[in-house]
Amino acid sequence: MDRQTASATFPSAAAAVADARRFVRKVLADWGMEEAADDAVLATSELATNAIAYAGTSFEVICRVEDGDIEVEVRDRHPTRGIEMPGVTASSGRGLPSIARLASSWGVSYDRRTKGVWFRLPRPGAPADGGDPGSGQRRPGGDDLDPGASRDGRPAREDAASTSSTASGAGQAQGREARLGGGEMGEMPAAGDRLLRSPAAVEAMEDGVATVRTALGVDGAAVLLTERDGRLIMGASSGAAAEAELGELSVAALGPEARAGSAWVARDASDPVAAALRSRSLAAAPLESQGRLTGLLVAFSPTAGRLDEADGARLGRLADELSLALEKARVGELERSWRGWLSFVAEASDLLAGTLDQERTMALVAQLVVPRLATWCAVYTVTESEAADLAYVWHADENRADGLRELLDHAGAAPPIDTPGPWGGFATAPEEVRAAAGDTADDQVYAFPLIARGRRIGTIVIGRPAGDRFPRSAVELAEELSRRAALAVDNARLFSAQTAMSSALQRSLLPPGIPEIPGLEVAVVYEPAGEGSEVGGDFYDVFASGPHPGGPAPASRWRFAIGDVCGTGPEAAAVTGLARHALRILAAEDMSVPAVLGRLNRLILGEGERGRLLTLLHGEIAPRPRRDGVTIRLTSAGHPPPLVLDPDGGVREAASPQPLLGVFDGVDFHTDTVELRRGEVLLCVTDGVTERRSGGRLLGDGHGLERLLAGCTGLSAGAVAARIQRAVRDFGPEPSNDDVALIVLRAS
């Protein structure tokens, strides 16, 4: 395979990051390079997120293979906007430093219209080089991070490309929550424990002690590893050392040679290492990593005087070789931990970006933290007018959740902090509350601010048992998660406020109710597009226009209207409100239908640039003599014509077309009269019905609505409305992107 290329373009949307990852994984699987997929997917995730967050444009992902090496490039459409570097200009994320860790080389390319960031990975099975000299970037050795490691030494990561955004379904998101939150609590083990978890390190130590016994001809050899508290533990042993118990042997008990990094020889049991190993002759050499003592390589014999200074020098050279092997294994474990860290953050970001429900977002935050980073988590929210509110609490042990919530309710207020740090709020809780909470009252607690768009919107508080300290990696990961969670919570809060405002405005634009009209069945349907997040431009109304219903005489005439304002959103809603309220006010002045439309036309024209085009069907209903149906005088101003259904199934149009409102001044409107007799139906719809699309076909094409109405013979007004509504929904595979309104009048 000399050269292969595959590419795909994605929109500037949060869900596109997961789509890009799936694309890269599939391409590499098709090319038989699954071993490199994890690194490629994680690096692509960071670059795609960077393109969306900072370039704000659609982006293209290009995968190439040249002579077996893999190159992936993410190219956006904003070449003049610089790349954000975390710690300098970015507000969150690891960005390009994580690419430097994962890739053998990376770089940036520009042209007149696009900007691309590329990274290169060695072909699976090939040794990774230190970097491409031409790129100016090299892989660093690794930090002291281990948030994603499991107890068996493998990174606890999930397949980042096998899941999609929460928008694809709550069930799928819950499954992902279980995977992310169900792992063991992230630990920061001692250096010795980390090496013992590494198969490469264990193999190197076993080879080392075998080499020592062979080279020096001693009865026993061992590798002793240091833990964080300074104790020495057995890493590997051979011969007489297999049964040795080190007890409380620690680094502090070692002599000056060990602290100076030199090998030494002990000729009696006064040496603490010799005493622990029950030897009468011992040689030991330090194992070092980046200037720190990580352990000892020891050779010993029960025979006094068996080892001399030459043996010590030789053991020192063997210790240097073993130190290099252990350092290589340690760096390898850190690299795997880093990938697990990135995988966790990528998955968490997808989950948080996939919901705009504030309560669900806070629940996700807590369940992502527990138990991977902490034993329990609490989320506080604050507003400009209210103090901190305890919004969500989650504990790994459900039996302790109630006690924790009670303790938090009586603890000190959530700290108004701007940087992460320890929190001692439990100390202020009443003694009886602390006693009821048990050991939880003594937990170590850290607090992390939720800061979004320069505002503090809350605090995340996490805790672990007193004896289980927070490692630096867990604190850093929780800090990164809090930054991403803050934006997710703020987005959910803004969306909730927008939805509530939109719903309130929408309700104000709809009529309070449908009046009872003698001899007439009335049914209405109204479905705004946008799933409640947009105010619709369609409206309807049915109201009394004769004597006031509250007066001594009952109403004798009624009006109805159905209209469609060009566009959606607040601008369209303003015209919708103007039209609906003006219709009622003008009708109450006993103005005729044409006069009402003429006055409303002038009102819309008077709005100037704020005005919108409006189609309107407006009519007046009056009972016929001897209760034989009703007489309707109506005007259709640029609106889809109303249809009349006869009892025998015939369908006809009931009004002539006239100019729509908001275009011409001085229009003279006229009325068409419809005698709606018993059993006849008048159907009035907006273009959300007639222009419902399925591919290149519209519902109203070829008299489609007329045929649909003809099939409603003999149905009540409500049944006709329901059948039309269902037909509109079922006409196309995708949800309608236009408002739908209809009025059905049936003479009875």
Side-chain angles (χ1 to χ4, degrees):
M1 175 191 320
D2 293 331
R3 180 180 178 87
Q4 288 180 277
T5 302
S7 65
T9 301
F10 303 91
S12 179
V17 178
D19 294 338
R21 292 207 304 266
R22 282 193 291 273
F23 167 74
V24 171
R25 186 174 292 278
K26 182 179 184 304
V27 168
L28 294 183
D30 291 343
W31 291 347
M33 297 185 172
E34 295 93 337
E35 294 179 24
D38 286 343
D39 288 354
V41 161
L42 290 174
T44 301
S45 179
E46 288 295 326
L47 293 183
T49 301
N50 191 79
I52 292 172
Y54 301 116
T57 69
S58 62
F59 62 93
E60 182 181 15
V61 178
I62 307 165
C63 300
R64 304 183 184 93
V65 173
E66 295 187 15
D67 298 326
D69 288 340
I70 302 166
E71 182 176 294
V72 179
E73 182 177 15
V74 176
R75 184 163 288 276
D76 62 60
R77 269 69 174 172
H78 204 318
T80 59
R81 183 166 292 175
I83 300 172
E84 302 293 335
M85 289 297 292
V88 180
T89 56
S91 60
S92 65
R94 296 292 177 184
L96 299 183
S98 65
I99 307 305
R101 284 184 172 275
L102 293 170
S104 60
S105 60
W106 64 272
V108 185
S109 61
Y110 296 88
D111 59 31
R112 295 181 60 185
R113 293 186 175 85
T114 63
K115 173 179 79 271
V117 183
W118 58 267
F119 63 88
R120 188 169 294 128
L121 300 171
R123 63 186 180 277
D129 59 15
D132 184 348
S135 70
Q137 307 292 337
R138 298 184 67 86
R139 301 182 70 160
D143 296 331
D144 193 14
L145 292 169
D146 194 21
S150 62
R151 293 191 185 277
D152 63 358
R154 293 187 299 270
R157 70 174 148 213
E158 298 296 334
D159 184 353
S162 64
T163 56
S164 62
S165 70
T166 312
S168 65
Q172 192 177 26
Q174 290 170 358
R176 292 165 67 194
E177 292 165 30
R179 290 206 313 267
L180 279 172
E184 294 194 31
M185 191 163 46
E187 294 184 345
M188 188 63 163
D193 286 343
R194 177 180 289 112
L195 289 173
L196 288 175
R197 284 174 15 196
S198 168
V202 171
E203 182 179 358
M205 288 187 288
E206 291 175 348
D207 290 345
V209 294
T211 300
V212 168
R213 288 194 66 196
T214 301
L216 300 184
V218 292
D219 297 280
V223 174
L224 310 184
L225 300 175
T226 60
E227 289 198 292
R228 290 189 179 278
D229 60 2
R231 290 187 303 113
L232 288 168
I233 62 173
M234 187 69 72
S237 60
S238 178
E243 304 298 327
E245 295 183 4
L246 300 181
E248 296 301 317
L249 181 64
S250 69
V251 173
L254 300 180
E257 297 92 345
R259 290 191 289 272
S262 303
W264 75 93
V265 175
R267 294 179 172 82
D268 55 44
S270 62
D271 183 272
V273 179
L277 295 174
R278 296 183 177 88
S279 68
R280 299 181 64 187
S281 180
L282 174 141
L287 299 173
E288 295 182 319
S289 172
Q290 298 182 349
R292 299 192 303 269
L293 179 67
T294 60
L296 301 174
L297 180 61
V298 179
F300 62 93
S301 171
T303 303
R306 170 66 182 79
L307 298 168
D308 55 23
E309 299 300 331
D311 294 319
R314 191 171 184 184
L315 185 68
R317 291 191 292 272
L318 294 175
D320 290 341
E321 295 176 3
L322 180 57
S323 293
L324 290 175
L326 293 181
E327 176 65 9
K328 181 179 179 180
R330 185 188 73 87
V331 171
E333 288 300 309
L334 291 176
E335 290 288 332
R336 284 189 286 274
S337 297
W338 177 266
R339 294 187 183 100
W341 187 92
L342 287 175
S343 179
F344 173 77
V345 171
E347 284 282 333
S349 298
D350 272 357
L351 281 172
L352 293 173
T355 177
L356 288 174
D357 179 86
Q358 185 173 347
E359 297 297 325
R360 177 170 172 77
T361 301
M362 289 185 291
L364 279 174
V365 171
Q367 293 173 34
L368 286 168
V369 169
V370 178
R372 182 174 291 270
L373 303 179
T375 308
W376 57 264
C377 176
V379 182
Y380 291 83
T381 59
V382 297
T383 63
E384 295 179 357
S385 58
E386 299 178 3
D389 175 59
L390 182 58
Y392 196 85
V393 176
W394 186 258
H395 198 292
D397 184 352
E398 294 182 359
N399 296 324
R400 297 195 174 198
D402 292 339
L404 173 62
R405 178 175 284 276
E406 184 75 9
L407 185 61
L408 289 167
D409 285 338
H410 289 83
I417 57 175
D418 294 325
T419 57
W423 180 54
F426 286 171
T428 62
E431 189 59 38
E432 61 273 14
V433 175
R434 290 174 55 86
D439 296 341
T440 304
D442 299 320
D443 282 359
Q444 300 178 72
V445 183
Y446 260 78
F448 301 85
L450 293 175
I451 300 176
R453 300 174 176 92
R455 297 177 294 108
R456 192 173 66 85
I457 62 172
T459 306
I460 295 177
V461 178
I462 64 176
R464 283 189 174 193
D468 185 11
R469 69 179 189 82
F470 278 101
R472 181 169 63 89
S473 59
V475 173
E476 288 182 348
L477 186 52
E479 182 179 0
E480 176 66 24
L481 189 61
S482 70
R483 285 196 289 266
R484 302 190 182 216
L487 289 174
V489 171
D490 197 45
N491 288 339
R493 177 182 292 181
L494 293 174
F495 180 78
S496 299
Q498 177 188 355
T499 301
M501 179 179 64
S502 178
S503 298
L505 180 56
Q506 190 70 67
R507 287 192 298 270
S508 74
L509 299 177
L510 298 178
I514 303 300
E516 294 285 341
I517 303 177
L520 195 67
E521 298 176 16
V522 182
V524 299
V525 169
Y526 181 70
E527 291 184 347
E531 300 182 355
S533 63
E534 290 287 344
V535 177
D538 290 10
F539 69 95
Y540 70 91
D541 202 357
V542 182
F543 57 93
S545 63
H548 194 277
S556 59
R557 295 189 309 278
W558 295 264
R559 296 281 181 99
F560 72 92
I562 183 169
D564 184 0
V565 178
C566 177
T568 59
E571 294 83 2
V575 179
T576 299
L578 170 67
R580 196 179 74 78
H581 294 299
L583 284 170
R584 289 200 171 214
I585 294 171
L586 297 175
E589 296 296 324
D590 206 24
M591 296 179 64
S592 66
V593 170
V596 168
L597 265 67
R599 180 67 64 83
L600 182 57
N601 185 46
R602 291 193 294 274
L603 287 173
I604 294 174
L605 289 170
E607 290 290 301
E609 294 182 357
R610 296 184 303 171
R612 294 295 183 96
L613 304 183
L614 170 65
T615 69
L616 181 66
L617 178 64
H618 181 38
E620 184 177 63
I621 304 169
R624 282 175 53 81
R626 296 182 298 279
R627 296 185 177 179
D628 181 22
V630 295
T631 298
I632 302 176
R633 294 179 176 84
L634 51 80
T635 300
S636 177
H639 203 78
L643 302 176
V644 174
L645 171 65
D646 297 331
D648 60 0
V651 177
R652 67 182 189 276
E653 292 186 358
S656 57
Q658 300 181 57
L660 73 166
L661 307 181
V663 180
F664 305 109
D665 195 5
V667 179
D668 292 328
F669 294 98
H670 64 271
T671 59
D672 295 289
T673 301
V674 178
E675 300 292 346
L676 200 65
R677 292 179 171 83
R678 187 172 301 165
E680 292 185 327
V681 175
L682 180 70
L683 173 64
C684 311
V685 302
T686 61
D687 61 8
V689 175
T690 58
E691 296 181 3
R692 176 71 167 102
R693 182 175 294 277
S694 177
R697 187 166 57 96
L698 303 180
L699 186 148
D701 287 348
H703 302 288
L705 184 59
E706 287 84 343
R707 290 196 302 273
L708 182 59
L709 181 59
C712 298
T713 304
L715 300 180
S716 66
V720 173
R723 179 169 291 186
I724 301 296
Q725 180 185 27
R726 185 170 61 253
V728 171
R729 288 178 176 174
D730 297 343
F731 186 73
E734 299 295 330
S736 176
N737 58 2
D738 197 2
D739 306 327
V740 172
L742 61 91
I743 297 176
V744 179
L745 306 176
R746 182 180 183 273
S748 58

